[in-house]
Amino acid sequence: MQAAKEKVKDGVSAVKAKAAEKAEAATARSHAERKLAHERGKAKVAAAKMELHQDKVLHREEAIEHRIHKHGGHGHHHHKHGVGIVAAPAPVPGAGAYYSTAARHHY
């Protein structure tokens, strides 16, 4: 739901910026003023996108804090109960096992 609200907010901000740019360009008297209106429009769209990203960061920070407090500060860990840790079998000497550099110098 939050993502949908953010997309709508971003879209509305971008539309408003484009409308302001077109209105300013329509009243511009020279090519330079129209170009300036276009640049201002781009800046407003960029500012709206930046605000959207800042809102996303704030939302994620709040979600992380909520998870930390909800789980007592330990995070959420998945454990398989009843399953022990099994050690890997020892390598067979001479069957592609790794030898240190010291062992390679003995002939």
Side-chain angles (χ1 to χ4, degrees), residues 55-76:
D55 290 345
K56 284 182 180 180
V57 167
L58 180 63
H59 178 71
R60 285 187 181 166
E61 285 174 346
E62 289 171 353
I64 289 169
E65 285 181 24
H66 175 74
R67 276 191 223 123
I68 289 171
H69 293 298
K70 181 179 176 183
H71 297 290
H74 299 294
H76 190 70

Side-chain angles (χ1 to χ4, degrees), residues 20-38 40:
E21 174 189 340
K22 287 188 180 208
E24 190 176 347
T27 60
R29 295 184 184 148
S30 68
H31 177 71
E33 287 179 355
R34 283 190 292 278
K35 192 170 183 178
L36 182 61
H38 180 68
R40 284 186 184 143

Side-chain angles (χ1 to χ4, degrees), residues 31-53:
H31 177 71
E33 287 179 355
R34 283 190 292 278
K35 192 170 183 178
L36 182 61
H38 180 68
E39 292 299 322
R40 284 186 184 143
K42 286 174 32 179
K44 286 180 184 179
V45 170
K49 286 182 180 182
M50 182 184 68
E51 185 177 331
L52 172 69
H53 289 296

